[in-house]
Amino acid sequence: MSSICTTNVNKNTVFTARVYNEFASLQPSEGNECIKANAKSCGECIQVGAKCGWCTDPEFLKQGEATSTRCDELESLRKRGCSGAKVENPRGSQEALKNKTVTNRNKGAKKLRPEDITQIQPQKLTLSLRSGEPQSFNLKFKRAEDYPIDLYYLMDLSYSMKDDLENVKNLGTQLMLEMSKITSDFRIGFGSFVEKTVMPYISTTPAKLLNPCTGDQNCTSPFSYKNVLKLTSNGQEFNTLVGRQQISGNLDSPEGGFDAIMQVAVCGEHIGWRNVTRLLVFSTDAGFHFAGDGKLGGIVLPNDGKCHLENNMYTMSHYYDYPSIAHLVQKLSDNNIQTIFAITEEFQPVYKELKNLIPKSAVGTLSANSSNVINLIIDAYNSLSSEVILENSKLAEGVTIAYQSRCKNGVTGEGEMGRKCSNISIGDEVSFTISITAKQCPKMGKPETIKIKPLGFTEEVEIALNFICECDCHKNGTENSDICHKGNGTYECGACRCNEGRIGRHCECSTNEVTSEDLDKNCRKDNGTDICSNNGDCVCGTCECKKRENPEERYSGKFCDCDNFNCDRSNNKLCGGHGHCECRVCICDANWTGSACDCSLDTTTCLASNKQICNGRGTCECGTCKCTDPKFQGPTCEICPTCPGVCAEHKECVQCRAFGTGEKKETCERDCSYFNLIKVKDRDKLPQPGQAFPLMHCKERDANDCWFYYTYAVNNNTEKEVHVVETLDCPAGPDIIPIVAGVVAGIVLIGLALLLIWKLLMIIHDRREFAKFEKEKMNAKWDTGENPIYKSAVTTVVNPKYEGK
């Protein structure tokens, strides 16, 4: 009878396992990207991701497996029997073509040419990128000491800046003196601007064109932008030429400074910019016109961003509109120019917003007469040069770049913050880790070049990107190979890549023959109706089995009627984790048996502490004790929950875990975690005898004479369970309030009684004294004679004249 029951259970187990597996196969999962790609060649496979490899072993595929199953994760290929030497898995690489170390140079050292000073390392790289595999390299940046500086002073010469011009006239020699503390190679230039020379920006009457100022003021004719002095190291020349400049005038408040900035940025030869630190000081006390404002003067053509200086004058201000902010940002960045806005207090908010849009720019507050301009320039330069921000050129499609910075004092940054480092002093060295990843091969697989540079600096890193789009074995392919059915394909990397119009593992069929009924007949098992057991496709009369989301699971066989995942399971593991599945049958490991390999033949797990199998009170079946004595439980039949002494044995642990008291409260977590504690509200909720496993009811008393009630049992899963009533049953203590009230009331009543008794006694005493007095009064004999010494208080006087009338 027992064996019959066991057989039925096993059949149910098999049925359940098969239903589970069929259901699992329908569930969506993240899956294996290598399998999902359905790659037909090695080149397609390695472009799927860095985890994918291609097995070139000609004997790798089993019956029913498609060519695309050669593409799989590396570990999966190894498990399927493809040796490492047969796996194509090209990796990316990098090579430094120019890696000149950063310059270590002091101010007093030998003077170097700007092109001989290196602040960024490396300078040129070649990266070979495979899809999904990042290539990382370190970039160093070090602020060189005594690095040359070019400074161009661009000044608003509208009438409101008249007093400022007087202070700027001596700027050259003073600034040269101050900048000599920073660099020994300093050059300075000067330019000025007013406004576009058309209405309504200026007055176009002949008189106003000659002298736009009112009254007896002598002003020069209005102009858009004038390059007064090319960059020079002669500070005295700066003072002389600037001293000759005259104020001009215009009608509206905003100025045409953007036209001037654009020309300064793009007219490098006229300005004299070198490949060194380039500073542009923009000084004004007004706002600015920008793209679109030119329409007021009938100018609609967008600014072309090109140089239009003739005789050092901007000649196209009447033809092209003002540049946009974005256009200026691009040109300033392309020409590595750092901008310092020297602005009066009134327009600080406007130019601070502009600064946020222009990288590597600074804003300083200009005094009313520009007397503080030198300090402003020095402070702004120190602020700009203390920060390095990396930028890169446009990336090819599918290429991404990530930055991680390691700055001064151990400060690190990632993401956008990984592009920059702040608070850098001269001589400080910082580094960046730059990772470049290709998500796909570009069209035609052509190499790309990108450039990375610090904003405001002329030095850059040039990176050539080569893309790995084919496997090495592709080079050794044989076109029109006889292996591919009479030359209908190229044999490469262990498989045939079929010519157009041909299919099949060996390109043996034409696409026109795929649906042939005769070919489909070869794919039906036992002349049935299912093609390839509904687990594959019939290609050229041969079953190609479907691929599963899980790369470990496969269909196989001539008719795809076998698989390695529809075997019995135990503990939710295929073949109990102690065997492997072949054609839906578990092949068990040594010392294991059963349809799900879940029955262990090893008896060591059944040995009790006394070295007896199941403590002599049971039998060992599949590595588990079956206790024959109903009183004993546990994995080795050593636990007896109803034996005497059980309650006392567990009392201290129950007490500390349930109530936090007792002798073991300090070591409770360490010594008393061997059972599951379940609290119930009252004794009626405790488990009662008659359950499937033995149960012991316990009643114990603590140090406070309080009783607590619990049950101890070992359930069918050999887990120890304790149900305990969550409240203690303590003897009721005296009710203090009635006692105190009774005592107080008793004292009051006794007092009143004593007062009443005293009063009663006093009344009785008084009455007795009064009666005694009355009695003595009655017995007294009084003398009624007159007192001889008594004299009446009344005196009678008779009037002698009274006649009695």
Side-chain angles (χ1 to χ4, degrees):
M1 184 68 183
S2 175
S3 62
I4 294 174
C5 292
T6 302
T7 303
N8 289 338
V9 169
N10 287 338
K11 286 182 178 178
N12 290 335
T13 303
V14 172
F15 175 76
T16 303
R18 293 187 187 278
V19 170
Y20 170 84
N21 283 303
E22 292 298 331
F23 177 75
S25 68
L26 300 175
Q27 301 308 301
S29 65
E30 195 172 304
N32 180 336
E33 61 179 356
C34 309
I35 294 290
K36 281 183 175 182
N38 201 30
K40 301 298 184 185
S41 68
C42 187
E44 291 181 18
C45 179
I46 63 171
Q47 291 184 50
V48 175
K51 297 187 296 183
C52 301
W54 177 271
C55 185
T56 61
D57 186 352
E59 307 299 324
F60 174 69
L61 297 182
K62 294 181 173 58
Q63 191 174 33
E65 291 183 337
T67 301
S68 59
T69 57
R70 290 181 178 274
C71 182
D72 205 341
E73 292 183 351
L74 302 177
E75 182 62 21
S76 181
L77 289 175
R78 185 188 66 79
K79 289 181 179 179
R80 291 169 58 191
C82 188
S83 65
K86 297 288 186 179
V87 175
E88 278 286 323
N89 179 35
R91 312 314 297 177
S93 61
Q94 55 183 270
E95 181 184 3
L97 302 180
K98 188 178 180 182
N99 194 25
K100 186 179 178 182
T101 57
V102 292
T103 302
N104 292 311
R105 174 173 176 253
N106 296 322
K107 188 175 178 183
K110 180 183 176 182
K111 189 172 182 179
L112 298 175
R113 296 179 303 168
E115 54 268 27
D116 294 331
I117 300 174
T118 302
Q119 297 185 108
I120 192 169
Q121 179 189 0
Q123 296 80 40
K124 194 170 185 179
L125 288 171
T126 295
L127 301 183
S128 296
L129 298 178
R130 177 180 168 183
S131 298
E133 180 189 29
Q135 287 295 317
S136 301
F137 64 93
N138 290 328
L139 182 149
K140 291 182 183 178
F141 176 85
K142 182 177 181 179
R143 278 190 63 192
E145 295 193 31
D146 198 26
Y147 194 70
I149 298 174
D150 284 353
L151 185 147
Y152 191 83
Y153 196 92
L154 182 60
M155 185 174 180
D156 176 8
L157 285 189
S158 59
Y159 187 75
S160 57
M161 295 286 285
K162 182 179 179 181
D163 55 344
D164 300 78
L165 180 59
E166 294 301 320
N167 285 309
V168 174
K169 288 179 179 179
N170 296 319
L171 179 66
T173 52
Q174 295 176 16
L175 191 57
M176 292 287 287
L177 182 63
E178 288 296 324
M179 293 301 288
S180 65
K181 299 175 183 177
I182 299 174
T183 176
S184 60
D185 188 357
F186 176 72
R187 299 200 309 172
I188 188 171
F190 184 82
S192 59
F193 66 92
V194 181
E195 187 54 277
K196 287 185 181 295
T197 55
V198 296
M199 282 287 288
Y201 312 110
I202 65 168
S203 175
T204 55
T205 61
K208 290 293 183 181
L209 286 175
L210 292 175
N211 182 5
C213 299
T214 59
D216 57 353
Q217 299 291 334
N218 185 23
C219 297
T220 189
S221 299
F223 57 91
S224 177
Y225 162 66
K226 182 193 302 182
N227 178 29
V228 177
L229 176 64
K230 190 175 181 178
L231 288 165
T232 178
S233 56
N234 189 341
Q236 189 58 48
E237 184 182 2
F238 180 95
N239 292 350
T240 303
L241 287 177
V242 174
R244 298 173 186 169
Q245 301 306 303
Q246 288 182 290
I247 291 295
S248 186
N250 61 319
L251 295 179
D252 61 343
S253 175
E255 313 295 2
F258 276 17
D259 274 342
I261 293 176
M262 177 62 76
Q263 292 304 300
V264 171
V266 299
C267 298
E269 292 185 5
H270 295 270
I271 304 299
W273 292 119
R274 297 177 296 170
N275 284 331
V276 297
T277 298
R278 299 175 176 180
L279 300 178
L280 169 61
V281 179
F282 182 84
S283 175
T284 184
D285 63 350
F288 48 82
H289 284 297
F290 53 90
D293 288 355
K295 292 181 181 179
L296 295 172
I299 303 172
V300 295
L301 283 178
N303 195 288
D304 64 350
K306 296 180 180 178
C307 182
H308 297 288
L309 290 185
E310 293 183 11
N311 296 322
N312 287 322
M313 297 288 290
Y314 179 38
T315 58
M316 302 297 285
S317 68
H318 64 287
Y319 191 75
Y320 289 116
D321 193 5
Y322 301 99
S324 66
I325 295 175
H327 199 180
L328 274 185
V329 170
Q330 178 193 346
K331 292 300 180 182
L332 289 170
S333 176
D334 289 347
N335 292 282
N336 306 306
I337 297 173
Q338 304 177 60
T339 311
I340 300 172
F341 295 104
I343 311 299
T344 54
E345 183 69 36
E346 180 183 359
F347 288 94
Q348 281 288 310
V350 175
Y351 281 89
K352 283 182 179 178
E353 290 296 327
L354 180 62
K355 166 191 170 296
N356 294 333
L357 301 175
I358 302 179
K360 294 293 282 185
S361 62
V363 177
T365 303
L366 190 68
S367 62
N369 59 2
S370 297
S371 58
N372 68 331
V373 68
I374 292 180
N375 291 334
L376 187 154
I377 292 172
I378 298 296
D379 292 343
Y381 168 74
N382 289 333
S383 173
L384 289 173
S385 60
S386 67
E387 183 176 58
V388 57
I389 303 174
L390 297 184
E391 68 168 359
N392 54 266
S393 60
K394 185 178 179 181
L395 300 174
E397 184 179 359
V399 176
T400 60
I401 189 168
Y403 295 86
Q404 184 178 25
S405 61
R406 291 184 296 280
C407 307
K408 190 176 178 181
N409 298 325
V411 178
T412 60
E414 294 182 351
E416 284 303 309
M417 296 304 296
R419 289 176 174 265
K420 66 180 182 178
C421 284
S422 303
N423 301 319
I424 304 173
S425 303
I426 292 175
D428 287 342
E429 183 178 298
V430 295
S431 64
F432 299 84
T433 298
I434 301 173
S435 297
I436 300 177
T437 308
K439 301 296 183 184
Q440 62 190 40
C441 276
K443 293 179 181 178
M444 308 299 293
K446 297 172 71 174
E448 299 281 348
T449 300
I450 63 172
K451 295 180 179 180
I452 300 174
K453 69 173 184 177
L455 280 172
F457 293 86
T458 57
E459 296 177 64
E460 63 186 14
V461 182
E462 182 180 320
I463 305 170
L465 304 181
N466 298 317
F467 300 92
I468 302 175
C469 301
E470 281 291 353
C471 300
D472 292 338
C473 58
H474 169 73
K475 304 172 186 175
N476 302 322
T478 304
E479 293 185 5
N480 303 320
S481 171
D482 290 338
I483 299 175
C484 302
H485 194 72
K486 301 177 181 178
N488 285 315
T490 300
Y491 185 73
E492 62 178 46
C493 304
C496 286
R497 181 186 284 189
C498 298
N499 296 335
E500 188 174 354
R502 304 296 297 186
I503 57 173
R505 185 185 290 186
H506 298 291
C507 312
E508 63 270 27
C509 286
S510 168
T511 52
N512 298 326
E513 302 171 351
V514 173
T515 57
S516 170
E517 186 65 29
D518 291 335
L519 293 175
D520 287 350
K521 187 187 299 182
N522 296 329
C523 298
R524 294 189 176 96
K525 185 178 181 179
D526 299 331
N527 292 323
T529 57
D530 295 337
I531 294 179
C532 300
S533 306
N534 289 329
N535 293 325
D537 300 314
C538 188
V539 179
C540 301
T542 303
C543 283
E544 285 195 359
C545 302
K546 294 177 181 177
K547 290 180 287 187
R548 303 270 295 178
E549 294 277 357
N550 186 343
E552 305 294 331
E553 300 176 355
R554 296 186 302 277
Y555 292 109
S556 60
K558 181 179 179 181
F559 301 102
C560 302
D561 51 343
C562 286
D563 62 62
N564 66 344
F565 55 87
N566 264 322
C567 288
D568 292 349
R569 292 175 180 262
S570 177
N571 294 326
N572 204 30
K573 293 181 180 179
L574 192 67
C575 298
H578 304 116
H580 60 277
C581 182
E582 291 185 6
C583 204
R584 304 187 179 184
V585 175
C586 282
I587 308 299
C588 299
D589 297 337
N591 288 328
W592 291 91
T593 187
S595 62
C597 301
D598 54 350
C599 184
S600 174
L601 301 178
D602 187 5
T603 60
T604 55
T605 56
C606 296
L607 288 177
S609 57
N610 56 11
K611 303 302 179 181
Q612 290 186 336
I613 292 180
C614 300
N615 197 28
R617 291 184 171 86
T619 59
C620 186
E621 298 179 8
C622 296
T624 303
C625 283
K626 303 293 183 184
C627 302
T628 54
D629 189 334
K631 289 183 179 181
F632 287 84
Q633 293 176 276
T636 55
C637 301
E638 293 181 273
I639 300 173
C640 180
T642 58
C643 293
V646 170
C647 293
E649 178 184 353
H650 303 291
K651 170 188 172 182
E652 296 297 337
C653 281
V654 173
Q655 188 177 355
C656 79
R657 286 190 58 185
F659 308 106
T661 59
E663 295 179 0
K664 291 189 176 183
K665 66 178 181 180
E666 301 298 333
T667 60
C668 193
E669 186 175 350
R670 184 191 67 196
D671 299 339
C672 300
S673 58
Y674 59 87
F675 59 82
N676 296 328
L677 183 71
I678 304 164
K679 293 184 178 182
V680 298
K681 291 188 176 297
D682 50 53
R683 294 176 64 183
D684 295 338
K685 297 292 192 298
L686 289 173
Q688 300 302 317
Q691 300 188 29
F693 44 85
L695 185 73
M696 188 71 173
H697 276 261
C698 300
K699 175 182 178 182
E700 296 293 337
R701 185 162 57 186
D702 64 11
N704 297 322
D705 287 335
C706 293
W707 294 95
F708 57 94
Y709 304 89
Y710 65 93
T711 62
Y712 177 83
V714 181
N715 62 23
N716 292 331
N717 295 326
T718 69
E719 296 174 343
K720 299 178 179 66
E721 285 185 354
V722 172
H723 290 72
V724 62
V725 178
E726 63 183 7
T727 56
L728 294 168
D729 184 7
C730 298
D735 196 343
I736 301 300
I737 294 176
I739 293 174
V740 173
V743 171
V744 172
I747 293 171
V748 172
L749 290 174
I750 291 172
L752 290 174
L754 291 174
L755 286 174
L756 288 174
I757 293 171
W758 177 79
K759 184 66 175 176
L760 181 62
L761 291 174
M762 290 301 295
I763 291 173
I764 294 171
H765 178 267
D766 288 346
R767 286 183 178 179
R768 285 178 178 176
E769 289 296 320
F770 183 73
K772 183 179 179 181
F773 171 75
E774 288 292 330
K775 184 177 178 181
E776 290 178 354
K777 182 181 176 182
M778 291 294 296
N779 295 331
K781 294 181 178 181
W782 301 94
D783 186 2
T784 59
E786 292 184 1
N787 188 352
I789 65 174
Y790 173 74
K791 187 176 180 180
S792 175
V794 179
T795 303
T796 302
V797 178
V798 179
N799 188 356
K801 297 293 185 179
Y802 179 66
E803 297 179 354
K805 294 181 181 180

